[in-house]
Amino acid sequence: MTAPAHVNTTTPTAAGSDVAPAPDAHPEATSPGWTLLGLIVVVGLAAAVDYLDSHVPLWSEGTWFGGIAGSIEFPVYAIALGFAANVALSAIGVIDRLSAAFRTEFFIKTGLVLLGSAVNINVIVSAAAPAIIQALVMISTVFLFTWWIAGLLRVEPHLKALLATALSICGVSAAVAAAGAVNAKREQLAYTAGLVVVFALPSIFLLPWLASLLGLSAPVAGAWIGGNIDTTAAVTAAGAVAGEDVLEFAAIVKMTQNALIGFVAVGLSLWFTLRVDRRGADGTAASATRPGWREVWQRFPKFVLGFVAASVLVSTFAAAAPGLVADDTSWLSTGVASAKALQTLFFTLAFVSIGLEFRVGALQEAGWKPVLVFLAGTLCNLVVGLLYAQVLFGWVFGGLF
């Protein structure tokens, strides 16, 4: 059955700004008291996530769960606690009153800007040839394949954009960037985030095992892991399982893909502004007037500018004074470490909010088609990712490592 036409339940308040509460939310949802209480809930859950992330491995040490607990990253705890709180708050009827504080887009866009400080352009350039080529061909191949298969199954265009972006770049972070660019529904973002987590967890253990089984070299294994697993945290966990030498290459490849989030977000923003959102539910043109550049600018994902600025600024300082990077006590190293801590905080707040915003109706509306699309895209990612990693890091540029 064809997915329902896109009905925008969010209202753009300013260019690239966070979304406003859904129109059918309770009036109290915008009152300062309920918003403050909602913010306390979000921050409290984020604190609980940090506590679980640091203590569960200690509690489970020596048990059957101990080996798994060490590889479970904070997004899993955050989304799980968000879902649990969602159920509890819905049961007592206050979820909508608190919803103004569930600012998923604001939290994660802030986190993405801070992520820019960790994208050192100098490091990427040092592994320029294989890493950049793989990032470009992987993103293009997986994005286009996922977009095509989603089109065959008639997945709603905005959800299709989220699925393709999440699979081809870096999971939830990329999906949120795409959601802001195409003005997708919150429920669609929550659904996509859930799929990313479900598929990423097994990959933490599956890919290192397959890499060992296939006898892949460290560069090839790292490139395969970094190019396949959809979240940076899960890539780090899988790389650690496979070994430090593998982790180094996995991190570089994933960092290179992360750097392309902004380009994809801008492209999606232009495509949906100029083409998709000008069509009605029946696919016919909704307006004969072509959107002006003002509308394009309003839909432009502004966080991209902050992401690029942070990356360029840190990379410039690192290139001008390499000693600052080597010295862990320097102002540059401590500043980057602080930015990374803040990035983790905002991502935690965002993942908690994703769980809190989730609605079961989104699953019923979307059905199983997005799951099939995600499965097909994941299989494509595994196969072509291994091929590209072997060709680039094993054969063509293998002599460099």
Side-chain angles (χ1 to χ4, degrees):
M1 179 170 55
T2 304
H6 175 67
V7 179
N8 187 7
T9 61
T10 62
T11 304
T13 56
S17 65
D18 195 11
V19 292
D24 57 350
H26 293 291
E28 295 91 342
T30 57
S31 68
W34 283 108
T35 301
L36 178 61
L37 183 57
L39 185 60
I40 292 173
V41 169
V42 174
V43 173
L45 289 172
V49 168
D50 181 66
Y51 185 80
L52 290 175
D53 188 40
S54 58
H55 285 76
V56 169
L58 298 177
W59 295 337
S60 59
E61 189 174 353
T63 68
W64 66 270
F65 188 65
I68 301 175
S71 300
I72 297 178
E73 296 291 326
F74 72 90
V76 178
Y77 295 115
I79 293 178
L81 287 182
F83 281 148
N86 186 329
V87 173
L89 294 172
S90 297
I92 61 178
V94 298
I95 189 72
D96 288 330
R97 291 182 171 91
L98 303 173
S99 63
F102 307 157
R103 301 297 294 268
T104 299
E105 286 194 66
F106 170 76
F107 293 141
I108 208 159
K109 286 177 180 178
T110 304
L112 286 168
V113 171
L114 293 167
L115 175 64
S117 65
V119 178
N120 191 330
I121 298 174
N122 308 313
V123 174
I124 294 174
V125 170
S126 67
I132 294 176
I133 293 173
Q134 173 166 320
L136 291 173
V137 295
M138 276 289 293
I139 289 175
S140 300
T141 302
V142 177
F143 185 95
L144 293 174
F145 175 82
T146 306
W147 187 276
W148 171 73
I149 201 72
L152 288 182
L153 294 176
R154 302 194 177 201
V155 173
E156 196 275 336
H158 298 77
L159 179 56
K160 177 169 66 174
L162 268 59
L163 294 171
T165 308
L167 273 165
S168 61
I169 306 180
C170 60
V172 178
S173 300
V176 172
V182 306
N183 201 22
K185 299 181 190 178
R186 291 174 174 176
E187 292 81 5
Q188 292 174 330
L189 176 58
Y191 192 3
T192 303
L195 289 175
V196 168
V197 171
V198 168
F199 278 81
L201 281 177
S203 300
I204 294 174
F205 308 98
L206 179 62
L207 264 65
W209 175 72
L210 287 175
S212 177
L213 186 68
L214 295 171
L216 302 180
S217 65
V220 174
W224 190 33
I225 290 171
N228 268 268
I229 300 180
D230 292 324
T231 69
T232 303
V235 166
T236 303
V241 170
E244 287 295 325
D245 49 349
V246 173
L247 176 58
E248 179 182 357
F249 288 95
I252 290 175
V253 169
K254 178 53 65 179
M255 185 189 303
T256 306
Q257 287 189 198
N258 288 347
L260 297 176
I261 293 176
F263 296 100
V264 175
V266 171
L268 285 171
S269 176
L270 291 172
W271 178 259
F272 274 76
T273 300
L274 299 175
R275 297 292 298 274
V276 177
D277 288 339
R278 295 179 63 224
R279 298 187 175 276
D282 57 357
T284 59
S287 172
T289 304
R290 190 174 185 83
W293 285 110
R294 181 175 181 179
E295 182 177 347
V296 172
W297 173 247
Q298 287 177 336
R299 292 283 295 273
F300 181 85
K302 305 296 190 300
F303 80 90
V304 172
L305 301 179
F307 178 92
V308 173
S311 178
V312 170
L313 184 63
V314 172
S315 299
T316 301
F317 281 124
L324 294 176
V325 179
D327 182 4
D328 292 337
T329 62
S330 70
W331 62 267
L332 181 61
S333 295
T334 54
V336 171
S338 298
K340 186 174 182 179
L342 284 173
Q343 170 201 318
T344 300
L345 170 62
F346 277 100
F347 278 166
T348 302
L349 294 172
F351 293 141
V352 165
S353 297
I354 286 171
L356 287 166
E357 288 185 321
F358 184 76
R359 298 293 181 269
V360 176
L363 292 177
Q364 298 172 338
E365 177 181 324
W368 283 94
K369 290 180 180 179
V371 179
L372 296 177
V373 170
F374 212 90
L375 176 60
T378 299
L379 293 175
C380 172
N381 208 355
L382 283 171
V383 174
V384 301
L386 177 58
L387 175 62
Y388 293 152
Q390 181 60 52
V391 170
L392 293 170
F393 285 82
W395 298 335
V396 178
F397 298 98
L400 298 178
F401 311 116

